[in-house]
Amino acid sequence: MGASSIFEIGNETINTINVKSSSSLPCSLLVFSPTTKGSYPVLLFFHGFMLQPSWYKSLLQHISSHRYIIVAPQFPLINLQEMKNVRKIAEWLINNLKSVVPEKVQPDLEKVAISGHSKGGNTAFAVAFDSSMPLKFSALLGIEPVAGTSTSCLCPPYVLEYIPRIFNQSIPVAVLGAGLSNQSTCCLLQSVAPNGVNHAEFFNESKPPCYYFMAKDYGHADMLEAEGIMAILIRILMKSGKGSKDSMIRAVGGIVVAFLKAYLEGQIDDLNDIVKSPNLAPITLDPVISIKD
């Protein structure tokens, strides 16, 4: 089929499962699971600040349809015990994920990746670097990760150190950025992903193997499907591209799938093809950078 097929919905039928919080689970979860009998790698995905997992539904369904189970927590707006809560979620996944997915579906907890968007991307980096986590991660993806409002106002958990290749990670990293995310919508507002705390710095501090993909003509939230007042606020606060939202969702979804196939399943051809021929994607990717050693 070639790399272009990963930018289309996969062959798996997906169940979307809502899991309520409990004494062992600090927040609710949105789980996307294939329904065909088999064993599937797992992706833990963190939403951005003030956002909801359901607003990433098309993106996460796209990824899941290529044979991945995705777990997306709904963090509270004020999440003062973020790392502690993530640790509890990881413990819950080990003990309980099998019980909520379809009967013949088996989560493969030896093949787990972690990802997040915006503030959730920053959290994903922090969690991946925390050796005390009960889950061990094999791949890390930051989708438009943001570490704070400026270099002098970083948000916990603190990740950036402003030293090239300083991250003490032992797993491969992919960073997906948006070319318009460092631009404000008007002179009275700051951009939501300013230089120094955005995708470029996360990639700059990542050790090989690491990958960087820039969605040149899109903005910070152009893969979201927000609703109600938040949809209005996003348009006011965040610079958007003029291209198709569906194309952005397919591009981000396809890149994530290619990276997961490469580093969870040892199938690196699609990822190599995108790096060599970025025009395979349904949007303009520029630049695309791969550092393997």
Side-chain angles (χ1 to χ4, degrees), residues 136-179:
K136 300 306 175 187
F137 301 100
S138 300
L140 167 62
L141 302 98
I143 301 173
E144 267 291 291
V146 179
T149 58
S150 69
T151 55
S152 59
C153 189
L154 301 177
C155 297
Y158 302 109
V159 173
L160 296 182
E161 299 185 52
Y162 298 99
I163 301 172
R165 309 291 173 242
I166 189 62
F167 287 159
N168 188 29
Q169 100 261 1
S170 59
I171 58 176
V173 174
V175 177
L176 287 68

Side-chain angles (χ1 to χ4, degrees), residues 49 118-119 122 145-156 158 160 162 181-182 189-198 202:
F49 180 63
S118 194
K119 169 68 167 64
N122 182 77
V146 179
T149 58
S150 69
T151 55
S152 59
C153 189
L154 301 177
C155 297
Y158 302 109
L160 296 182
Y162 298 99
S181 64
N182 63 349
L189 297 173
Q190 177 180 302
S191 71
V192 295
N195 294 335
V197 294
N198 66 13
F202 279 86

Side-chain angles (χ1 to χ4, degrees), residues 234-257:
I234 286 173
R235 286 196 295 271
I236 294 172
L237 298 174
M238 303 181 193
K239 184 85 170 180
S240 292
K242 296 181 180 180
S244 161
K245 184 182 291 286
D246 177 69
S247 294
M248 178 62 163
I249 290 170
R250 290 193 297 115
V252 174
I255 292 168
V256 173
V257 169

Side-chain angles (χ1 to χ4, degrees), residues 64 74 113 149 177 179 183 187-188 194 276 282 285 292-293:
S64 185
Q74 173 64 71
T149 58
Q183 299 180 24
C187 61
L188 299 177
K276 294 175 183 176
L285 297 175
K292 295 184 179 180
D293 51 36

Side-chain angles (χ1 to χ4, degrees), residues 69-128:
I69 296 170
I70 302 178
V71 178
Q74 173 64 71
F75 290 120
L77 180 60
I78 306 300
N79 193 15
L80 298 178
Q81 296 183 312
E82 188 170 22
M83 295 298 283
K84 181 179 179 180
N85 286 340
V86 172
R87 192 169 287 106
K88 289 182 177 179
I89 291 167
E91 291 170 351
W92 185 94
L93 293 182
I94 293 170
N95 296 318
N96 298 285
L97 180 58
K98 176 67 178 73
S99 67
V100 303
V101 297
E103 183 179 359
K104 296 180 180 180
V105 169
Q106 179 66 46
D108 186 348
L109 296 180
E110 297 298 316
K111 297 178 180 178
V112 183
I114 188 166
S115 181
H117 169 244
S118 194
K119 169 68 167 64
N122 182 77
T123 302
F125 271 79
V127 172

Side-chain angles (χ1 to χ4, degrees), residues 15-33 44 47 53-54 69-76 88-102 107:
N15 273 8
T16 303
I17 305 149
N18 289 284
V19 182
K20 295 182 179 180
S21 60
S22 65
S23 58
S24 61
L25 184 62
C27 61
S28 61
L29 307 175
L30 197 59
V31 178
F32 299 84
S33 174
L44 182 58
H47 62 78
S54 60
I69 296 170
I70 302 178
V71 178
Q74 173 64 71
F75 290 120
K88 289 182 177 179
I89 291 167
E91 291 170 351
W92 185 94
L93 293 182
I94 293 170
N95 296 318
N96 298 285
L97 180 58
K98 176 67 178 73
S99 67
V100 303
V101 297

